[in-house]
Amino acid sequence: MSKFGFYLFILVSFFSIGTAVAQKADSIKIDTNTLNKYRINPPKNALPVRIRPVLITPQPIPITPIDFQISYWRKSVVAGLNLNQSTFSNNWSGGGVSSFALGANFDFKAEYNKQPFSYTTELLFLYGISKNKGQYSRKTNDRIFYDNKIATQLSKKWYFFGSVSFESQFDVGYQYTDGKDPLLISKFMSPGYFTESIGFEYKPVKYIDIRLGTGTARQTFMLDTTIYHNISGNYGVPPGGRFRNELAFQVVSTINKDIATNMNLQARYALFIPYNNFDRITHRLDATLNARVNRLINVTLNGTVLYDITTNKSVQASQGLALGVIYKFPN
């Protein structure tokens, strides 16, 4: 065998042995689960690791206390002034009389409400006067009204209450008759009324209040004994007397509601039924519609309907419409 043949034989033999070894290695089975285990969760590092604890120290934060007080009071003040004036020259062909009218009102209300007790007070002043050319000035409105009520809650809508009220006028009042001098028929505390009442109060909604005074007493005062109102029999007080007391059942219903934007309706109805004389039942309704033009200018429509046989045997009524300045606090 030549050298070339020998070397070729050796090369072929070496190539055959390598191929056989490679085929044997490919046939070895490998556990892939173990392999993936080590890939996902490698063994722990054998080197020591130092862990330092984190120290958290609380630090106080200064808080300034809020300075406030809870107020159980709600107060309001309404003051108004109305002016009406007209002037005509002496040769005005349409005819007319120069006149001047002035009206003022003041209304203070305060309410204290801390369950189960409540207290309400109201002070109302009304006065108006007019002057026509060639005549004396005359009153158009005159009233003093002061009401106080304390109540304790019995249920969601019912209360037990006690109240005291006072009513009179500022100025003298005259009865005018054509062709005769004016007749003085009233003045301050002639008449004047004090009314004390206890009973139950019903409040179906926030803006309606109904009092049922099962135990009510009213005192009528005539401090000026020279006054005699012959139309009514001197307001129920015997002529020359100063005082009269009556026990009665009383109903007082009030409403105070905003019926439209910038428009408020207030009304108060009082029914007085004497226990010993049903012929002297008294009805009085006072209503005021207030429309706000802007922050200061208001239009006010008010009216009163009264039936009281101690002042007149017929139904009495008064009505007024005014445009004026009014201030309300809080505004």
Side-chain angles (χ1 to χ4, degrees):
M1 180 180 294
S2 63
K3 292 183 178 182
F4 174 76
F6 177 75
Y7 291 139
L8 181 60
F9 174 77
I10 294 298
L11 181 61
V12 171
S13 300
F14 180 78
F15 179 78
S16 299
I17 294 172
T19 303
V21 172
Q23 290 177 354
K24 185 178 181 180
D26 291 339
S27 62
I28 297 175
K29 294 183 180 180
I30 299 176
D31 189 355
T32 57
N33 293 329
T34 303
L35 182 60
N36 291 334
K37 176 181 178 181
Y38 281 97
R39 287 178 180 177
I40 298 175
N41 299 316
K44 294 183 179 180
N45 193 350
L47 297 178
V49 178
R50 294 182 179 181
I51 301 176
R52 295 182 180 181
V54 178
L55 300 179
I56 300 176
T57 304
Q59 297 292 332
I61 300 175
I63 299 177
T64 304
I66 301 175
D67 186 14
F68 68 92
Q69 295 180 350
I70 298 176
S71 178
Y72 299 98
W73 285 95
R74 186 176 63 179
K75 304 175 182 179
S76 67
V77 176
V78 178
L81 184 65
N82 303 312
L83 178 65
N84 187 3
Q85 183 268 339
S86 62
T87 303
F88 300 90
S89 63
N90 294 331
N91 60 347
W92 182 254
S93 60
V97 177
S98 300
S99 64
F100 175 83
L102 181 66
N105 66 282
F106 177 84
D107 188 0
F108 170 77
K109 292 182 180 180
E111 296 181 10
Y112 176 84
N113 194 339
K114 185 178 181 181
Q115 296 297 335
F117 298 102
S118 65
Y119 170 72
T120 305
T121 181
E122 180 180 5
L123 178 62
L124 175 64
F125 294 148
L126 293 173
Y127 189 77
I129 192 171
S130 66
K131 175 70 169 64
N132 293 334
K133 185 177 180 181
Q135 296 179 345
Y136 294 106
S137 60
R138 300 184 180 186
K139 288 194 305 181
T140 58
N141 210 345
D142 190 3
R143 190 185 186 202
I144 302 172
F145 179 74
Y146 184 41
D147 183 61
N148 293 272
K149 182 200 69 176
I150 186 170
T152 181
Q153 190 169 13
L154 301 177
S155 63
K156 184 178 180 181
K157 297 181 179 181
W158 284 95
Y159 297 76
F160 181 76
F161 81 93
S163 66
V164 178
S165 64
F166 165 73
E167 185 172 1
S168 188
Q169 61 190 42
F170 289 102
D171 203 358
V172 294
Y174 292 94
Q175 175 188 339
Y176 298 94
T177 306
D178 294 338
K180 296 182 180 180
D181 293 333
L183 175 65
L184 178 65
I185 60 174
S186 64
K187 63 190 319 184
F188 177 72
M189 286 301 292
S190 296
Y193 302 96
F194 280 94
T195 305
E196 306 86 26
S197 182
I198 59 172
F200 299 94
E201 182 179 29
Y202 178 59
K203 294 184 177 181
V205 290
K206 184 177 180 181
Y207 52 87
I208 293 179
D209 183 297
I210 302 174
R211 303 184 204 174
L212 305 175
T214 54
T216 303
R218 183 173 70 178
Q219 298 81 43
T220 304
F221 293 87
M222 288 292 294
L223 299 187
D224 190 343
T225 58
T226 63
I227 296 176
Y228 178 63
H229 189 193
N230 57 6
I231 295 178
S232 64
N234 225 29
Y235 305 99
V237 179
R242 294 177 179 268
F243 173 81
R244 175 184 174 85
N245 185 61
E246 294 177 287
L247 299 178
F249 175 79
Q250 185 184 47
V251 177
V252 176
S253 179
T254 61
I255 181 172
N256 187 343
K257 180 177 175 56
D258 293 330
I259 59 176
T261 304
N262 296 331
M263 185 175 292
N264 176 264
L265 173 64
Q266 296 185 41
R268 184 179 191 271
Y269 169 71
L271 170 66
F272 187 84
I273 307 175
Y275 286 126
N276 61 345
N277 193 344
F278 290 159
D279 293 334
R280 291 194 175 186
I281 296 177
T282 300
H283 303 267
R284 181 180 179 118
L285 173 63
D286 296 276
T288 301
L289 181 62
N290 187 13
R292 192 168 185 170
V293 179
N294 55 35
R295 187 174 181 181
L296 291 177
I297 305 300
N298 280 48
V299 176
T300 302
L301 175 64
N302 59 64
T304 300
V305 178
L306 172 65
Y307 176 74
D308 185 356
I309 198 172
T310 64
T311 59
N312 199 292
K313 296 181 180 180
S314 302
V315 176
Q316 306 169 63
S318 67
Q319 177 270 329
L321 176 64
L323 172 65
V325 178
I326 193 168
Y327 179 76
K328 183 177 181 180
F329 178 84
N331 205 343

